[in-house]
Amino acid sequence: MRIADMNWMQVEEYLKRDDRCVIPLGSTEQHAYLSLCVDAILAERVALEAAHPLGIPVFPPLNYGVTPYFRAYPGTVSLQLDTYLRVIRDMLDSISEYGFKRILLVNGHGGNSPAQTLCIEWMAENPMVVVQFHNWWNAPRTWAKVQEIDPVASHASWMENFPWTRLANVAMPSEQKPPIDADKMRMLTPKQVRDYLGDGNFAGLYQRRDEEMQAIWMAAVEETHALLTGSWGRD
Ligand SMILES: [Zn+2]
């Protein structure tokens, strides 16, 4: 359930019977021919579908993340790491204050992973609250499904091309892009990154069949759902 579809009294009622919630974490950044908002769209959608059968509220996604390397691509917005970690900390402080004690962060962007360490630090200071940080796309079952379908998959390739992230009237190249060298990319300026990556796909085909994408999606939703119904480390 979207928190946008609840008022504060309903949240107060919910907290009398449950203490779980979800926050999707995205990024607004180049995704080659796909939407700039792929990471936010996917994180929110997987969160909503996983939480829906349980009636667990899903907060609006944090649509901006840490993505300094893509700053030469128009439309990309990068928060400084320091800013980002403060925003996550403020969100956890607020959300836990009135009674959410089990918080699942569903992350859609690799650059946001320093927040995982922040969560561990924050839990040491707030021992009554459990925060799980979940990279939905490379969680074991979802990643295994991706690898089974096509091992050449990465940022902005077919593996992020779902019916809900592709754009109307935008044609996809048909070739398979060779993998980029991630170690090299880390040494480049944003301008050099753009020159090196071209369209922005890191590796692989640009699109695969919708049935294959559906299989990955099912695995991702089930894997995220299982975290919500699991022990939260307290068994
Ligand atoms: Zn992405």
Side-chain angles (χ1 to χ4, degrees), residues 107-167:
N107 180 40
H109 171 56
N112 297 340
S113 350
Q116 183 157 29
T117 308
L118 173 87
C119 290
I120 295 166
E121 180 179 272
W122 188 88
M123 278 193 286
E125 298 156 11
N126 297 271
M128 300 304 289
V129 186
V130 182
V131 183
Q132 294 195 74
F133 188 95
H134 174 54
N135 287 323
W136 77 265
W137 80 94
N138 67 4
R141 285 173 51 202
T142 304
W143 188 247
K145 183 57 80 177
V146 169
Q147 294 297 298
E148 176 191 314
I149 291 170
D150 181 350
V152 187
S154 191
H155 171 83
S157 74
W158 68 273
M159 77 173 259
E160 299 198 284
N161 186 340
F162 291 88
W164 40 92
T165 53
R166 71 182 72 125
L167 303 172

Side-chain angles (χ1 to χ4, degrees), residues 5 31 43 48-49 57 65 69 98 123 147 169 193 199 217 220:
D5 295 326
H31 274 82
L48 284 168
E49 290 189 24
Y69 29 83
Y98 44 78
M123 278 193 286
Q147 294 297 298
N169 306 316
V193 166
D199 64 24
W217 193 252

